Amino acid sequence: MRLTTLRAALLGAALLVPTARLLAQDQTPAPAAPETPVEQPNPSGEQPAPAPEDLKKEPRDPLEVYSDLNLFGEIFDRIRAEYVDPPDEQELIRAAIQGMLTSLDPHSGYLPPADYDEMREDTSGEFGGLGIEVTMEEGAIKVISPIDDTPAAKAGILANDFIVELDGTSIQGLSLDEAVAKMRGPIGTDITVTVVREGVTDPLKFTLTRATIAMRAVRWSMDGDVAVLRLSRFSAQAYIGIENAIKDIYAERDGKAPKGIILDLRNNPGGLVDQAVYVADAFLKQGAVVLTRGRTEAESARYDAQPDPLDAQLADVPLVVLINGGSASASEIVAGALQDHKRATLVGTRSFGKGSVQSIISLGPDGAMRLTTARYYTPDNRSIQALGITPDIEIHQVVPEELQGRDEIVGEAGLAGHIKIEGQEESTVGSSVYVPPEAADDAQLQYAIKLINGGETNAAYPPKAE
C-alpha cells in the first residue's frame, strides 16, 4: 500500500467548484432611470440592516472585520466586569471559539486538550489499559474475553469472569463506560482487579500493569465457505486488521480461498482517510479510490490503489459489502470506490451521506480544531453529500415492533447547518440503522450469504465492468 498524503479525517463526499462571476456588455438601450424615492425620516439615526444580496456582492473591508473583533473584545470585557458571578475567562474564550467553528457546519469544532487526547486515542486505536473486552450483564461487568498477549490474558483473567472491584472499590452502580475508564490509564501504572468466577468460592484478585492495547477494528467469522469481515471503524488498526483477518482465514482453510467475502460496514462511522484508501486498495489493484477537493491546492488530492500481493490473492474472490444508514464517511469512501470499480456488490440500505473531510489542526497545549477543509468524490466523480450511497440491492431488516419508527435516520441531510450543494439532490427519508444481534435474524447478512452461495440471484451480482 503506498500513499503519499496521510491525513486524519472523518469524511464524506461532494465538492462544489466555485464559479467565477462573469461580466458581459449588454448592447440593449439602458432602461429609463426610476424616480428618486422620497427619503423617509429616520429619527433613531440607526442604519437599516443590509439585504443578504448586498452582503454577497463584495468582500468586506479588512477594517470592518477588525472592527467586529473589537466588538468581541468589548463584550468580553463587559462580561468579565459585570456578569453576576466572576466568569472563567478561559472557558469564555473556548466557548466563543467553539461557537465560531460550529457555526460553519456540523463537523467543524474545537477540541479542548482532554477531548483532543481522547480523539487521538480513538483514531490511533491504541490506549493504556488491561486488554479486557467487557459487557454489562444484569448490572455487573462481565468479561467477554481477554485480548491475546495483554496484561489481562497473561495474568489469567478468563471469559465469563465478573469484575466486582477495581483497586478495592466496588464497581456497583458504575456504568460500563465508567468502569472501562477506571481500567484505562497511563502505561506502566498498576491496578488491582477483583473478579468472581463460576465454580470458585472466593473472589480472585489480580494486580495488573497497564500496557499499550490495540483496539480490535476487525472481527471475522466463517459461514460455511463464506468469510464475513466486520470492520467497526477506520482507526489506525483498520487495514492491518483486514490484512490479518485474510491471513487467518487462508491459514484456517489450508491456503484455500473462501467462496466469497462479505465486508460489513454497517454502522461504521468512519475515521481516517488513509485507512479508507488502504482498505479499498486491499481489493483493488489500480485506479482512483477517492478524490478530495478543497479551497486550496494543498487540500485537493487523488488517492490511487496500487497492485500488491493482497489484492492479487483476492482478485478472483467475489465481494459483497453491507451498508446502512449508519455507514458514514470513510465507510462511504470504501463502498463508493468498490461500487464504481465494479469490484463489489453493495447490499443493505442507503448510507449516511457525510460529504466533507475534516483536518485536525493542533493548537499545541490548547488542544486542536477540527476544520472542514475539503469535499470528496468517488472515482466516478460522484458526490454523496447529504444524499448517501445507494446499494445495488436494497434489503430491509425485520425491525422489532418496539423499535419500529425509531430505527431510521435521515443522515447528513437531517443535520442542521449541513453543507448544501446547489442543484444536488438530498435524501428526504430515513435509512435504517438496525442490525439484529443474532446473525440468523440478520436479513441483510443472510441475503449476502445466499447471494454468494447461489441461493439468491440478482443482476447486480456479480458486478460486471462496463
Side-chain angles (χ1 to χ4, degrees):
M1 317 295 295
R2 288 172 287 277
L3 181 65
T4 55
T5 306
L6 303 181
R7 183 182 300 121
L10 303 174
L11 16 121
L15 171 65
L16 176 63
V17 180
T19 54
R21 292 173 59 207
L22 302 178
L23 302 177
Q25 291 291 335
D26 190 343
Q27 300 301 321
T28 57
E35 294 183 2
T36 303
V38 178
E39 185 174 350
Q40 299 297 321
N42 184 12
S44 69
E46 294 180 354
Q47 296 299 316
E53 57 270 20
D54 293 331
L55 291 175
K56 294 180 181 178
K57 286 182 179 179
E58 298 292 343
R60 298 185 66 203
D61 188 294
L63 292 178
E64 293 181 22
V65 175
Y66 287 107
S67 175
D68 286 345
L69 290 176
N70 287 336
L71 174 63
F72 172 82
E74 179 182 343
I75 292 173
F76 179 69
D77 287 339
R78 293 293 290 267
I79 292 173
R80 293 178 64 207
E82 300 177 24
Y83 185 66
V84 62
D85 294 317
D88 183 325
E89 287 94 343
Q90 185 181 57
E91 287 303 312
L92 278 178
I93 292 173
R94 287 182 174 178
I97 293 171
Q98 183 70 277
M100 179 168 54
L101 286 166
T102 56
S103 72
L104 299 172
D105 64 70
H107 308 295
S108 295
Y110 171 64
L111 298 170
D115 292 349
Y116 183 33
D117 290 342
E118 184 177 330
M119 184 278 301
R120 284 187 291 184
E121 180 180 285
D122 191 39
T123 55
S124 72
E126 295 183 338
F127 59 91
L130 308 178
I132 312 174
E133 296 183 354
V134 294
T135 188
M136 181 73 78
E137 186 174 292
E138 297 180 357
I141 306 298
K142 182 180 179 180
V143 177
I144 299 173
S145 67
I147 301 171
D148 292 341
D149 298 321
T150 63
K154 292 174 181 178
I157 290 179
L158 302 177
N160 297 320
D161 283 349
F162 284 91
I163 298 173
V164 294
E165 290 183 354
L166 296 172
D167 278 337
T169 302
S170 172
I171 58 93
Q172 187 69 33
L174 294 182
S175 68
L176 182 62
D177 288 342
E178 290 170 335
V180 169
K182 286 183 175 293
M183 287 187 278
R184 293 186 180 183
I187 295 168
T189 57
D190 292 340
I191 183 173
T192 299
V193 179
T194 304
V195 306
V196 172
R197 181 174 296 167
E198 186 178 356
V200 178
T201 304
D202 298 324
L204 303 173
K205 291 191 176 183
F206 301 87
T207 298
L208 309 177
T209 301
R210 295 180 178 94
T212 300
I213 307 299
M215 289 183 286
R216 189 182 302 175
V218 178
R219 297 177 183 276
W220 68 273
S221 62
M222 295 296 300
D223 189 296
D225 290 329
V226 178
V228 181
L229 277 63
R230 164 66 184 154
L231 178 55
S232 58
R233 68 178 300 107
F234 285 85
S235 69
Q237 309 301 317
Y239 172 71
I240 191 67
I242 292 288
E243 190 176 43
N244 287 338
I246 297 297
K247 187 184 303 180
D248 291 344
I249 289 167
Y250 274 79
E252 183 179 284
R253 296 172 57 81
D254 297 324
K256 182 181 177 183
K259 190 172 183 179
I261 294 175
I262 297 171
L263 178 60
D264 188 353
L265 298 180
R266 293 173 299 177
N267 295 334
N268 181 321
L272 303 176
V273 176
D274 63 311
Q275 290 297 314
V277 175
Y278 291 153
V279 170
D281 195 355
F283 302 97
L284 298 171
K285 66 178 181 179
Q286 62 185 11
V289 173
V290 64
L291 314 171
T292 65
R293 297 177 188 145
R295 183 173 174 180
T296 66
E297 186 175 344
E299 294 299 337
S300 300
R302 169 180 165 138
Y303 298 84
D304 286 318
Q306 303 289 344
D308 55 55
L310 184 56
D311 60 57
Q313 182 181 32
L314 300 175
D316 297 324
V317 180
L319 179 64
V320 174
V321 176
L322 302 181
I323 60 171
N324 68 1
S327 305
S329 181
S331 298
E332 295 172 296
I333 285 181
V334 172
L338 296 176
Q339 187 181 48
D340 283 1
H341 284 289
K342 306 298 183 183
R343 176 64 183 89
T345 298
L346 272 53
V347 172
T349 57
R350 193 194 67 250
S351 65
F352 188 87
K354 181 175 180 293
S356 55
V357 177
Q358 282 69 48
S359 293
I360 306 299
I361 302 168
S362 175
L363 301 175
D366 294 316
M369 61 189 290
R370 183 173 55 239
L371 187 67
T372 299
T373 53
R375 301 180 179 93
Y376 81 72
Y377 283 99
T378 71
D380 282 351
N381 221 27
R382 289 189 295 155
S383 164
I384 59 96
Q385 170 63 14
L387 179 61
I389 288 178
T390 301
D392 299 299
I393 305 172
E394 191 170 50
I395 300 293
H396 293 271
Q397 301 281 12
V398 178
V399 180
E401 186 176 349
E402 64 272 17
L403 295 178
Q404 290 178 6
R406 296 189 290 120
D407 66 303
E408 293 187 348
I409 57 173
V410 175
E412 180 79 6
L415 299 179
H418 70 273
I419 296 172
K420 295 180 181 292
I421 309 299
E422 185 178 354
Q424 179 173 301
E425 181 185 357
E426 293 189 355
S427 59
T428 57
V429 295
S431 179
S432 179
V433 299
Y434 176 71
V435 177
E438 300 295 330
D441 301 325
D442 189 337
Q444 293 163 348
L445 174 62
Q446 293 304 319
Y447 183 89
I449 293 170
K450 291 176 182 176
L451 202 60
I452 292 172
N453 284 328
E456 294 280 357
T457 59
N458 191 288
Y461 179 84
K464 299 176 180 63
E466 296 176 355

